[in-house]
Amino acid sequence: MNDSREEMGIDACLLAGRLMMEAGAETYRADDTMKRMAASLDMHGADSFTTSTGIIFSPGGQRRVKLTSIRRRATDLEKIARVNAISRLLSSGEISLEEAYRELKKTENGNFMFPFWLQVMAAAVASASFLVLFGGDWKNMIFAIIAGGAGFAVSEKFHERTRVKFFSEFTGSAMIGLISLAAVGSGGGSQLDIIIIASVMPLVPGLLITNAIRDLMSGHFMSGISKGMEAFLTAFAIGSGIAMVLSFQGVGM
Amino acid sequence: MTYVIHGVFSFLATAMFGIIFNSPRNRLLHCGFVGAVGWLVFFSSRDLLLEGDAVKASFIGAFAVAIVAHLFSKRYRTPMIIFSVAGIIPLVPGGTAYNTMRNVMEKSYDAANAHAMEVLMISGAIAMGLVFAEVIIQLVFNNRKTA
């Protein structure tokens, strides 16, 4: 293997690992993907050290060790599936290294997210469904739709603008608290508790919770604990947003 | 009738979470199915078998989610996480966590403690359900390979 091709191979492995971690894959999956790709590229003795904030990849032998940092993390299951498919095709020899690298680059730059309005709609419908699951009254459904959609939209927009972690969830859940209070206060709705619980569900850090457990169980303690902490702080932010609104309302809850 | 309503709405909720988590387009219905199975197992075992014990029911629900998600991931050759992430969302103890927070605010710390312990137990039960299912799947799968 000549030098530039080797360089590309190392870059492809690192890129695949980084894309997976950024999209919210389990740490062992990112690790495994990189090792499989390296093995299919004849880099024997390749090893990697993956945490939720950075990856160190050693291709083995005399080759250079490289590292990459992971700055932003979002839940993007589509990206995980794509990178997984690319690495499968590369390992089975169905595509060449050049093609795989090009596909990975395309995946990195592409935007596969659902449009924002659709996500807000999804959050609204999900909130309404949870209202039913939690035993809410049908007539409160409309308030769950409004509060759930608005809370999700506010939280996402804040996250885009400020990039401050946890503050976006805090504002989102405060918004939900305000809308629910207004709904019940005006006499239109009842069951304040159930409306609030159903509406905050779209903000729940589901991926972090599952991943934290699976990372811990597979022995990746560093990323397991940091993801668990992130999940806990997110939950705490949601709780304090609601708590703030309710406390201003007085104790007559 | 209750079960039909719950089935429909848990399906809907989980599929919507598939959109929020940006699942692959052609897998949204599968995500919804996983969630509906998980919730129905949780709901029916809580009310029929366990007399309202949410902790054990969460364990059984998470177990069911992991099994179905694994079957799908083998069938479609996609990572299991795509199916399981949205599926466990309905099991998350949001209501109990809310009660914890509310009791803390009302300064009734005893009640808050009780609720907090329950949140901890339920989260642990979900984790154990996922892990148990995975271990069992691995054992079965490896046995078949060597046989």
Side-chain angles (χ1 to χ4, degrees), chain A residues 202-222:
Chain A
L203 304 177
V204 166
L207 186 84
L208 285 170
I209 299 170
T210 16
N211 271 348
I213 299 161
R214 300 193 66 178
D215 279 355
L216 284 176
M217 293 301 161
S218 59
H220 287 281
F221 296 114
M222 296 267 279

Side-chain angles (χ1 to χ4, degrees), chain A:
Chain A
M1 214 195 282
N2 60 34
D3 267 3
S4 68
R5 200 177 137 76
E6 198 174 286
E7 198 73 34
M8 186 187 260
I10 299 171
D11 281 346
C13 290
L14 260 182
L15 183 58
R18 180 161 66 84
L19 287 179
M20 281 211 150
M21 289 306 284
E22 279 178 356
E26 311 99 304
T27 309
Y28 85 84
R29 185 180 301 286
D31 243 6
D32 196 53
T33 305
M34 286 191 286
K35 272 179 206 150
R36 271 171 207 269
M37 285 176 70
S40 74
L41 297 169
D42 288 327
M43 294 181 203
H44 298 294
D47 209 346
S48 60
F49 177 72
T50 314
T51 70
S52 52
T53 49
I55 303 173
I56 303 171
F57 178 73
S58 152
Q62 298 287 314
R63 305 178 194 95
R64 262 187 290 170
V65 173
K66 279 196 170 182
L67 74 85
T68 182
S69 63
I70 296 155
R71 292 208 178 77
R72 59 204 158 89
R73 284 178 296 279
T75 306
D76 191 343
L77 299 178
E78 167 89 32
K79 230 174 213 176
I80 300 176
R82 279 182 192 237
V83 176
N84 189 56
I86 294 169
S87 91
R88 256 176 206 275
L89 289 174
L90 181 68
S91 308
S92 63
E94 280 170 61
I95 55 173
S96 68
L97 171 60
E98 285 76 15
E99 277 171 317
Y101 190 66
R102 208 167 38 237
E103 283 298 311
L104 284 172
K105 272 282 173 208
K106 223 189 273 172
T107 311
E108 183 190 16
N109 299 324
N111 181 14
F112 311 110
M113 295 300 268
F114 283 96
F116 183 65
W117 63 267
L118 190 59
Q119 290 188 30
V120 173
M121 291 276 291
V125 176
S127 300
S129 314
F130 278 118
L131 183 88
V132 177
L133 294 184
F134 295 152
D137 201 333
W138 293 92
K139 74 178 163 88
N140 294 325
M141 218 166 171
I142 180 74
F143 303 116
I145 289 179
I146 297 169
F152 181 79
V154 165
S155 150
E156 286 289 299
K157 279 291 161 206
F158 252 98
H159 189 65
E160 236 170 66
R161 293 277 158 77
T162 58
R163 295 265 158 216
V164 182
K165 265 249 160 238
F166 313 121
F167 191 69
S168 53
E169 279 89 359
F170 178 80
T171 24
S173 68
M175 187 80 196
I176 289 169
L178 279 176
I179 293 177
S180 315
L181 264 185
V184 175
S186 67
S190 50
Q191 299 175 314
L192 177 67
D193 298 352
I194 293 182
I195 296 179
I196 290 179
I197 297 167
S199 310
V200 296
M201 286 307 269
L203 304 177
V204 166
L207 186 84
L208 285 170
I209 299 170
T210 16
N211 271 348
I213 299 161
R214 300 193 66 178
D215 279 355
L216 284 176
M217 293 301 161
S218 59
H220 287 281
F221 296 114
M222 296 267 279
S223 38
I225 288 180
S226 59
K227 278 177 187 169
M229 210 54 220
E230 199 176 343
F232 175 76
L233 283 176
T234 310
F236 188 74
I238 296 173
S240 33
I242 298 284
M244 188 191 73
V245 172
L246 290 185
S247 64
F248 278 123
Q249 177 234 8
V251 196
M253 293 186 286

